[in-house]
Amino acid sequence: LIGAALMMMLAMGMRQSLSLFLPPLGRDIGTTTADFTFAVAIQNLFWGLTQAPVGMIADKFGLRIAMMLGSATYAAGLLVMAFAVGPASLTASGALIGVALSCTASSLAMTASARAVPENKRSVMLGVVAAASSLGTLLIAPLLQAILSTHHWRAGMVLFLALAVCMLPSAFCAGGADKLPRPVRDD
């Protein structure tokens, strides 16, 4: 549960804070607000389109593999953004982060959480894990703002890359829900 909550907290906290990069990115690489919002739209599109395939991968190979690949993909998307030189690289970054969110955000984190607790405690634990994503925004946005106020925007990307790397052990732990015995139903 802690792994799922931490993974989702980091994934969603970073996602919700990405817009703080808009002004410095625009100044540094000459992208417009339209370029940035198009990249975010691509992110949302890829997030939605890859939900089912990622679910199939998780069913076939396990939650751990899917969530760890998603964490690595998140880091790759952030690397592309860190070295962005224009709208095309921002859009590629958005696509990668969108795929990563299918693996690290609510759907798989909630699946892992649901498998980790008895049915009578499931709704409370799902609420706690879901609340973690809001906590991520509460913590990450002001931290990023502080960094961006005194450093180059790429320093903020270093922070995000470090957070993405922290998602790997969280995903590993959360993926252990696959190994837990499933309750037998008396249907």
Side-chain angles (χ1 to χ4, degrees), residues 90-156:
L90 271 183
T91 301
S93 170
L96 287 168
I97 292 172
V99 172
L101 286 166
S102 289
C103 303
T104 59
S106 54
S107 61
L108 294 189
M110 293 302 184
T111 299
S113 300
R115 289 181 184 174
V117 295
E119 198 169 329
N120 63 338
K121 297 183 191 299
R122 198 167 287 158
S123 62
V124 171
M125 286 300 109
L126 291 177
V128 168
V129 171
S133 67
S134 297
L135 181 61
T137 305
L138 179 70
L139 298 174
I140 292 171
L143 179 59
L144 178 61
Q145 240 176 345
I147 289 172
L148 293 177
S149 69
T150 58
H151 295 82
H152 193 271
W153 66 270
R154 285 196 170 97

Side-chain angles (χ1 to χ4, degrees), residues 16 20 23 37 65 73 78 86 105 112 116 125 148 154:
Q16 301 294 6
L20 294 173
T37 55
I65 295 291
T73 303
L78 291 169
M125 286 300 109
L148 293 177
R154 285 196 170 97

Side-chain angles (χ1 to χ4, degrees), residues 8-86:
M8 195 160 99
M9 179 181 83
L10 295 171
M12 294 304 292
M14 287 189 290
R15 181 203 180 272
Q16 301 294 6
S17 303
L18 278 174
S19 64
L20 294 173
F21 286 106
L22 175 60
L25 254 169
R27 283 189 307 270
D28 197 29
I29 65 173
T31 56
T32 65
T33 302
D35 297 331
F36 194 89
T37 55
F38 180 76
V40 171
I42 292 297
Q43 178 190 103
N44 289 333
L45 185 66
F46 272 71
W47 186 7
L49 289 174
T50 58
Q51 292 278 324
V54 163
M56 289 187 294
I57 290 168
D59 285 345
K60 183 169 177 101
F61 300 106
L63 287 170
R64 182 172 282 155
I65 295 291
M67 290 188 288
M68 290 186 73
L69 284 173
S71 299
T73 303
Y74 210 123
L78 291 169
L79 270 173
V80 170
M81 187 177 182
F83 292 102
V85 292

Side-chain angles (χ1 to χ4, degrees), residues 144-170:
L144 178 61
Q145 240 176 345
I147 289 172
L148 293 177
S149 69
T150 58
H151 295 82
H152 193 271
W153 66 270
R154 285 196 170 97
M157 291 307 304
V158 170
L159 167 69
F160 272 31
L161 285 166
L163 294 175
V165 168
C166 290
M167 286 193 320
L168 286 164
S170 301

